[in-house]
Amino acid sequence: MTSSPGSQAAPPSDYRLLMPEGWFRLDIEPERRERSVDALVNRRFEGTDNAPHIKRQLRQDLLAQAAAAFREGGVELYLSLQQAGPLTIPASLLITFLPAPNSAGTLSLEDIAASLASARQGEGEVVQLAAGAALRVRRATGGPGHAPPAGMPGKTEESLPSVTLDYQLPVPATSAHLLMTFSTPLVQIADAMIELFDAVAGSLTWVDGEGKDE
């Protein structure tokens, strides 16, 4: 990461997040993608040997998700394997690094929120997290003519309704941003899922070059 002009502090080398139990980090790097997908599929179907076709389809879907996330600039993709009785709670988190713009100016979080509102792409608000100021945007997505949210399976031409929560944070001492995109198709319990997403986003901390929290 490159420090912004006049900045004295060194930019962080990484970040940390506290993920809920039952979430799986899917490695989206091309050279490690298949091994990570296989590990997730084996975990999902542990103790089940009579569903080869479903396993094969899930593997194909996960590989497609991982490839799409990587193409979109994603650096990490987490998928929920949390259980509610016999059911898995579907949700995802895609983390994307947004490099500094080529232009001289950098939009503030307030400017980005206003731009999203004018384009009717969701209502945004600037909130304070432990890691600093962040733009929080909640959106309803999906339906005819809409692509599925990043990291979630679905057809491009039509996808099921879902709830998406974005958190965009400036990376300290740089002009870059970090974008966290949470998604779930559980619109019936959207508020409860949003509370979970807010808690995860609030746990983010920046890490310095020595591996210490800043």
Side-chain angles (χ1 to χ4, degrees), residues 75-124:
V75 293
E76 287 194 289
L77 175 60
Y78 291 89
L79 299 176
S80 169
L81 295 180
Q82 282 186 300
Q83 296 291 126
L87 302 177
T88 300
I89 301 174
S92 70
L93 165 60
L94 176 64
I95 301 177
T96 308
F97 177 72
L98 306 177
N102 294 325
S103 58
T106 301
L107 290 176
S108 68
L109 295 179
E110 289 81 4
D111 290 337
I112 298 172
S115 177
L116 290 173
S118 64
R120 297 184 179 179
Q121 295 180 0
E123 292 294 328

Side-chain angles (χ1 to χ4, degrees), residues 68 72 139-164 181 183:
E72 294 170 8
R139 295 177 285 122
T141 60
H146 291 79
M152 294 297 291
K155 298 180 180 179
T156 301
E157 65 275 12
E158 181 175 347
S159 61
L160 294 174
S162 61
V163 176
T164 298
T181 301
S183 298

Side-chain angles (χ1 to χ4, degrees), residues 75 77 101 106 194 197 200-201 205 212:
V75 293
L77 175 60
T106 301
I194 291 294
F197 298 159
V200 173
T205 55
K212 300 176 181 177

